[in-house]
Amino acid sequence: MPPARLLAGAPLAVLLLALSGCSASWGCTDTTAKRGKASARVQVEDASGRPLGVTAKVVDWRLEPHPQVPDRGDQVHFHYRFDGADEYSGPAVDACAVDKHRVALLCETVYSSEAFGPNGDHTGDAWLAVEHPGQVTAVLLIPNDQSHDDRTCAQDVKDGGGPHPPKPAAIGDQL
């Protein structure tokens, strides 16, 4: 077969390979970490379950009106601290107000990078406007780092994949 005829068939061969799926077989896999056990003090772990060397702790919490919206009644005001966190790119964990059965009434992600503290001790505070504040018995932290989540295979088959943190906690989740 003459070389010109071989070259003319090359685009067809590439098209057939692409349609067969050979070109998209990058070996992309996603894994989702199992949600860690919530507690008032946790060792923060990455999406692979390895400890980051950072401890997150609920220092205290109370029910009180938020100073900017006092007419909305009591909200959960809590203080938290990250020990061992880096100044700029530290971890984030979900903080949840829970009832006596450890059911989440409301959750919010708190970031170590937003916890400044008076002596550089990575303390911060946050508010949770739960629907029934009288049901709150504790504020718990979930140890899974939520500070970043890489692209999934569905989003980017070539560069996505790998371990991902669990879905953030939501109202009604048993912790």
Side-chain angles (χ1 to χ4, degrees), residues 62-165:
R62 63 189 165 279
L63 296 176
E64 63 186 2
H66 190 289
Q68 294 175 337
V69 286
D71 58 321
R72 292 189 184 165
D74 283 345
Q75 296 182 19
V76 178
H77 183 202
F78 68 100
H79 290 86
Y80 58 92
R81 182 175 66 232
F82 283 89
D83 292 323
D86 146 325
E87 290 276 326
Y88 304 103
S89 61
V93 295
D94 287 337
C96 300
V98 298
D99 67 10
K100 65 182 178 181
H101 302 290
R102 295 175 60 103
V103 172
L105 301 172
L106 191 64
C107 299
E108 175 182 312
T109 303
V110 292
Y111 295 82
S112 63
S113 61
E114 295 176 358
F116 306 148
N119 301 315
D121 59 358
H122 291 286
T123 59
D125 73 315
W127 294 82
L128 296 168
V130 299
E131 189 173 343
H132 302 287
Q135 293 179 353
V136 177
T137 60
V139 175
L140 302 178
L141 303 173
I142 300 173
N144 306 90
D145 180 16
Q146 295 286 343
S147 63
H148 68 281
D149 189 7
D150 294 330
R151 296 179 64 79
T152 65
C153 292
Q155 293 167 323
D156 186 347
V157 71
K158 182 180 173 201
D159 298 320
H164 301 279

Side-chain angles (χ1 to χ4, degrees), residues 36-42 56-58 102 139-143 175:
K37 183 172 173 51
S39 181
R41 183 179 187 275
V42 296
K57 178 181 178 180
V58 174
R102 295 175 60 103
V139 175
L140 302 178
L141 303 173
I142 300 173
L175 303 181

